[in-house]
Amino acid sequence: MFIIFGTRGLKHTVSDSPVLSNSCPNCNNGSLVNKLYRRWFTLFFIPVIPLDTVDRFYECDSCKSAYNESIKTILQRSKEEINENQKRATSIYAKALIAAMTHMAIIDEDFASEEEREIKDAIEGFQEMKEELLAIHENVKVNANMNNQVFDFLNSARNELSSEALINILAQAAVVLLADGTIEKEEENLMKEYLIACGLPKEMYQTLIDKLKQKDMTTLKKEQMN
């Protein structure tokens, strides 16, 4: 008899943490609920033993925007400071997203037109940064991860964004892989390196793939970036 076991990350609500009512900076009326990703030991793909907590964050119960736990402190500041924080998070998210998508597209040395279209569509979602993102795209397309530039973008995102936002970045990068129909082993290994660069365990890879299966990734708008 074969025994199939492993680990995977699952999202949970933190039941003993107060809900931040009507405080979402994105939609202005949703409540922020404290969530966490916990790693579980699985037996025959069923979670049976809870292991360590990967990350805690807040998620809006209305628009589903995700925020680093520091949002609780940020909400006590002025509206101008909140807007500035949102703008900075947008920039960090977008740069990491485009760098990762481009790097993932060229890793197999076959940059398909479908992959290029996915990246250009993603750039269109950040009109205020369009020229800067196009420059990042062209630079990574030519120089790949020279001077560790792609992982530097991911490390910056790791320091500022929630685990949910990081997984959204990597899931959208995975959409580029699926543009040509399959995810090769080399590409899967690179995705796991991305997870580690983002401070997430490589076991979260299955969580990332589950996110791809559950929803159309074109609906991942920039409001989910914090």
Side-chain angles (χ1 to χ4, degrees):
M1 175 181 178
F2 290 102
I3 298 177
I4 302 175
F5 63 90
T7 59
R8 65 181 303 179
L10 296 175
K11 185 163 64 174
H12 304 271
T13 297
V14 182
S15 58
D16 60 351
S17 179
V19 173
L20 307 182
S21 301
N22 304 317
S23 56
C24 177
N26 180 60
C27 67
N28 296 317
N29 58 10
S31 296
L32 299 182
V33 181
N34 203 196
K35 304 272 188 175
L36 63 79
Y37 270 110
R38 172 168 288 144
R39 188 159 43 181
W40 286 75
F41 174 80
T42 61
L43 188 63
F44 294 104
F45 307 107
I46 300 172
V48 292
I49 301 175
L51 302 175
D52 55 323
T53 297
V54 175
D55 186 39
R56 288 176 60 144
F57 57 96
Y58 282 95
E59 183 177 70
C60 177
D61 61 4
S62 178
C63 69
K64 301 305 178 185
S65 295
Y67 301 90
N68 189 288
E69 276 200 313
S70 63
I71 190 65
K72 189 173 182 178
T73 302
I74 292 169
L75 289 171
Q76 298 172 358
R77 302 174 185 168
S78 69
K79 185 173 180 62
E80 183 177 333
E81 287 178 298
I82 292 173
N83 290 339
E84 186 61 32
N85 181 76
Q86 188 82 347
K87 184 177 179 179
R88 185 176 69 254
T90 299
S91 175
I92 292 169
Y93 181 98
K95 291 175 183 177
L97 173 63
I98 300 308
M101 291 180 77
T102 306
H103 189 217
M104 189 63 73
I106 65 172
I107 196 64
D108 61 357
E109 300 181 354
D110 181 20
F111 194 13
S113 59
E114 295 86 356
E115 295 171 330
E116 178 87 15
R117 186 164 55 249
E118 289 283 354
I119 297 168
K120 292 294 179 62
D121 286 347
I123 291 174
E124 288 296 324
F126 302 92
Q127 283 297 313
E128 293 182 1
M129 301 178 59
K130 185 174 179 178
E131 292 305 316
E132 184 177 9
L133 296 178
L134 284 170
I136 290 172
H137 169 55
E138 291 301 326
N139 185 24
V140 175
K141 188 163 66 170
V142 172
N143 299 311
N145 192 38
M146 181 180 290
N147 298 323
N148 217 35
Q149 61 174 343
V150 176
F151 286 90
D152 284 346
F153 283 122
L154 292 173
N155 280 324
S156 294
R158 170 186 181 176
N159 293 331
E160 295 285 340
L161 308 180
S162 70
S163 57
E164 182 77 345
L166 295 171
I167 290 173
N168 284 342
I169 289 173
L170 300 185
Q172 197 159 348
V175 169
V176 173
L177 300 183
L178 293 173
D180 62 5
T182 59
I183 298 180
E184 303 294 338
K185 189 65 178 178
E186 179 185 31
E187 296 166 333
E188 178 182 329
N189 289 338
L190 179 59
M191 186 62 71
K192 290 177 179 178
E193 289 182 29
Y194 283 174
L195 282 165
I196 294 170
C198 290
L200 300 169
K202 63 183 180 181
E203 290 87 352
M204 292 289 285
Y205 177 76
Q206 189 56 50
T207 302
L208 190 156
I209 297 301
D210 289 345
K211 181 177 283 288
L212 277 174
K213 293 177 180 177
Q214 289 167 6
K215 67 193 299 183
D216 178 359
M217 292 303 296
T218 60
T219 65
L220 278 179
K221 304 296 184 182
K222 57 185 178 182
E223 62 264 19
Q224 295 193 23
M225 65 187 61
N226 297 280

